[in-house]
Structure formats: structure tokens, C-alpha cells
């Protein structure tokens, strides 16, 4: 059946008598998606028909569809396809149900009668599964896997949530606003997507979760303690690994783009550790599940120092103390809207052993 997902065009479940059930997801532009155009289902969709039958034992469709040729080699004799529409309120168009028989002579008339009664019920079950899965998948795409799980568990009222301790990663694209004066909106969106993709990949690889894209900035957290959290040092090390990988990958992306005549877009990363409120905020009918609090504000203010200090990676005092690696103190700075001065750190330069 088709999928509402930014990565997958469709999903299929295959049941074989005596074998395991397999689930396959076809990514956009993949070989699986392209091969769909050589199936009986695609043929029926193109003709606006809702059902079809190919008697494989007579060679029907074997030369036209690789799938039927494979069934023929496995002893298949008859193949049925039925397309069932879903209700119109969702973008999911419907589901295709296929059955292949290896019975000599194919499906009997009695079997065809049973199948005709069975398919609508199966279609209804598929719609129920698809609607539920789509809701959870799309929610995870827009809010993150961990956050979506909390929402689906019932945390949907304004103010629900609580205080957690977390390592915070805030990444901001450097001088990005100036690019909007030079490039078209579509190009700008393309640049953003390229950088957000590499940031998201390295955050998720280290068990972090992106909570928000804010213009040309990304806010991610690595919880400490509790059911889903690590100890502070582990969480900070994960956030630091993400930051290092992001900066390295960003340099590689810029080198590639430079070869194509594109702009060099730097990224500044700030790492902080502190307590935040993790939950629902907003209007009654329009909520955002996010993190707020002093630690988030401090991370945002620290980011402004990256340009002033010429450092792409800065750490707060609390983060530097917990991360377990050598750090160098850059000084104490006033942060706008923050009462006390902030001690700011960078990674210490590696020492060179002297023989």
C-alpha cells in the first residue's frame, strides 16, 4: 500500500505458505519503487481498473511482469489482484491485495467466491493498520521518536510534562541570512536540508533527539537520568561526539559544494548541560512539545559568542565539567538576559609527546 512518509513511497507485506512473513518498505527513487512499475498492480492503476486475474499456468503475464515469472518458476498457476479504496479523508489511496495459487487448474469457483467476500474485510483491517501506523510515523517525523511516543501515550494537554536534566546541543548555520540576498528560496531550502540532514544523522546516531528546527538553527537534547536517559557524562559524551561529527561532515559538505560553485556555509555548535522543562506549551488548540527553561536560553546566548571568539564549538562550564575530556577555559562572559557571567570552554588542543 502507499505510504505517507518522507522516506518511503510504499510498504508491502508478503505471506508465503510455510515461510516467514516479510515486510518491505520502498524508498523514494529506489529499485523497489521503480520495479513497482512492472507489476500487475501498476497495470490496473493505469487502466483505472480495480481487479485482475492472470492464469499463470497458461503463461498469462509471465513475459510482462517479472513477479509473475518468478511465481511461475515456483509452481504458481493463478494470480488475483484486487484494489480497494480507503476513505477520502487521508492521502492514503487504498491497498492492493494479491493472491497466488499453486493448485492445478488455479482457483476454483468456490474459492473465488470466498475470496470476493474476504477481500473487503481484509481491506478494512489494512485501513485500520495503515491509519494507526501513519499517525505514529508522521508524528515521529515531526516531533521525534521519543517525543511522539509520549504524545501517543496521552501527554497531550497544555502544561503536561516535567523537569528533566539533559545535555543540550544547539547548532546554528553561520551567516545564513546573507545567503537569502543572493539565492532563490528553493536554493535556500536545499542548502538548509543538506545541513539539517547531516546534523540530524549525527544526533540520532548518538541517541539524541532533535526537538526543533528554528529557521537556520537546530535544537537537540540528550537526556540524563530517568528511564530514557544516560548518566551526565555519557549524555555529554554523546552530545560531544555528535558535535564533532557534525563539524567534520559540514566541512566535507562545503568542500563538495565548493567544487560545484556553491557557497561555504559554516556551522556553530554550543553544548550545555542543565535542567529544562520537557513538555507541552502553546495555545489550547495548538501545542508544541519542546524544552524550555534557563538552560535553553543560556545555550542560545552562548551561541552568539561563537562568532566573537572565532570558535565553531563552545561548551558551558557545566558541560565541560561533566563531559570527561580536557577543555580549555576561554574566559567569563556576560550573556544578555542572564544574571551571572558564564564561563565558556572549548576543547583543549591535543598534546604532542616529546621524545
Amino acid at each position: 500500500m502507499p505510504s505517507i512518509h518522507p522516506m518511503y513511497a510504499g510498504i508491502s507485506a508478503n505471506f508465503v505458505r510455510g515461510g516467514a512473513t516479510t515486510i518491505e518498505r520502498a524508498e523514494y527513487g529506489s529499485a523497489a519503487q521503480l520495479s513497482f512499475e512492472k507489476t500487475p498492480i501498476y497495470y490496473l492503476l493505469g487502466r483505472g481498473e480495480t481487479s485482475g486475474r492472470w492464469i499463470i499456468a497458461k503463461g498469462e503475464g509471465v513475459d510482462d511482469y517479472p513477479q509473475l515469472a518468478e511465481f511461475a518458476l515456483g509452481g504458481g498457476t493463478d494470480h488475483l489482484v484486487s484494489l480497494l479504496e480507503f476513505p477520502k479523508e487521508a492521502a492514503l489511496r487504498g491497498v492492493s491485495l494479491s493472491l497466488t495459487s499453486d493448485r492445478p487448474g488455479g482457483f476454483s469457483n468456490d474459492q473465488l467466491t470466498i475470496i470476493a467476500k474476504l477481500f473487503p474485510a481484509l481491506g478494512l483491517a489494512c485501513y485500520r493498520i495503515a491509519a494507526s501506523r501513519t499517525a505514529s510515523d508522521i508524528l515521529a517525523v515531526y516531533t521525534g521518536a521519543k517525543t511522539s511516543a509520549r504524545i501517543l501515550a496521552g501527554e497531550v494537554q497544555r502544561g503536561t510534562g516535567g523537569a528533566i536534566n539533559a545535555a543540550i546541543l544547539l547548532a546554528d548555520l553561520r551567516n545564513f541570512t546573507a545567503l537569502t540576498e543572493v539565492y532563490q528560496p528553493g536554493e535556500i531550502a536545499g542548502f538548509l536540508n543538506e545541513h539539517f540532514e547531516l546534523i540530524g544523522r549525527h544526533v540520532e546516531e548518538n541517541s539524541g533527539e532533535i526537538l526543533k528546527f528554528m529557521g537556520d538553527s537546530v535544537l537537540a537534547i540528550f537526556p540524563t537520568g530517568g528511564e530514557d536517559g544516560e548518566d551526565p557524562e555519557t549524555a555529554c559524551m554523546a552530545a560531544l561526539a555528535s558535535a564533532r561529527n557534525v563539524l567534520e561532515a559540514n566541512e566535507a559538505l562545503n568542500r563538495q559544494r565548493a567544487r560545484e560553485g556553491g557557497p561555504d556555509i559554516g556551522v556553530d555548535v554550543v553544548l550545555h548541560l542543565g535542567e529544562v522543562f520537557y513538555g507541552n506549551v502553546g495555545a489550547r488548540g495548538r501545542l508544541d512539545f519542546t524544552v524550555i527553561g534557563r538552560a535553553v536560553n543560556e545555550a542560545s546566548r552562548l551561541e552568539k559568542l561563537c562568532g566573537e571568539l572565532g570558535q565553531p564549538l563552545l561548551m558551558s562550564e557545566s558541560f565541560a565539567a561533566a563531559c570527561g575530556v580536557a577543555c580549555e577555559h576561554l574566559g567569563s562572559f556576560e550573556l544578555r538576559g542572564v544574571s551571572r557571567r558564564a564561563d565558556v570552554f572549548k576543547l583543549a588542543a591535543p598534546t604532542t609527546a616529546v621524545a
Side-chain angles (χ1 to χ4, degrees), residues 148-183:
S148 68
R150 296 181 68 146
I151 295 171
L152 290 173
E155 292 189 39
V156 295
Q157 288 188 312
R158 182 171 56 175
T160 56
I164 65 168
N165 286 295
I168 299 167
L169 182 150
L170 180 65
D172 183 72
L173 300 185
R174 196 180 309 134
N175 299 323
F176 194 80
T177 302
L179 296 178
T180 62
E181 301 293 327
V182 181
Y183 294 92

Side-chain angles (χ1 to χ4, degrees), residues 50-102:
T50 58
S51 64
R53 182 182 184 185
W54 289 262
I55 302 177
I56 300 174
K58 295 182 179 180
E60 294 179 1
V62 173
D63 294 332
D64 299 319
Y65 308 114
Q67 186 183 50
L68 297 191
E70 182 179 344
F71 291 157
L73 290 174
T77 58
D78 204 349
H79 185 72
L80 295 176
V81 178
S82 180
L83 306 183
L84 302 173
E85 284 191 325
F86 287 161
K88 302 296 185 182
E89 65 265 18
L92 291 172
R93 295 173 56 187
V95 63
S96 63
L97 300 174
S98 304
L99 280 178
T100 304
S101 174
D102 59 2

Side-chain angles (χ1 to χ4, degrees), residues 168-295:
I168 299 167
L169 182 150
L170 180 65
D172 183 72
L173 300 185
R174 196 180 309 134
N175 299 323
F176 194 80
T177 302
L179 296 178
T180 62
E181 301 293 327
V182 181
Y183 294 92
Q184 295 298 315
E187 295 175 296
I188 293 295
F191 296 148
L192 280 174
N193 288 335
E194 289 175 333
H195 289 272
F196 286 166
E197 171 66 24
L198 66 87
I199 294 171
R201 180 170 68 250
H202 292 299
V203 165
E204 291 173 2
E205 283 177 355
N206 289 284
S207 302
E209 182 165 30
I210 289 178
L211 289 186
K212 192 180 293 294
F213 294 102
M214 305 168 293
D216 56 2
S217 300
V218 178
L219 174 65
I221 62 169
F222 300 76
T224 71
E227 250 179 55
D228 302 323
E230 305 284 358
D231 63 88
E233 182 176 344
T234 300
C236 289
M237 287 296 291
L240 180 57
S242 298
R244 284 170 149 171
N245 292 338
V246 163
L247 292 172
E248 183 179 339
N250 197 72
E251 289 181 2
L253 175 59
N254 279 324
R255 287 194 296 270
Q256 174 187 334
R257 190 184 291 128
R259 290 192 292 267
E260 301 167 355
D264 183 294
I265 303 174
V267 61
D268 292 325
V269 181
V270 163
L271 300 172
H272 191 18
L273 177 67
E275 184 180 86
V276 295
F277 174 83
Y278 178 43
N280 285 297
V281 297
R284 286 193 305 167
R286 178 62 175 88
L287 299 175
D288 189 12
F289 206 110
T290 186
V291 289
I292 59 172
R294 187 176 71 182

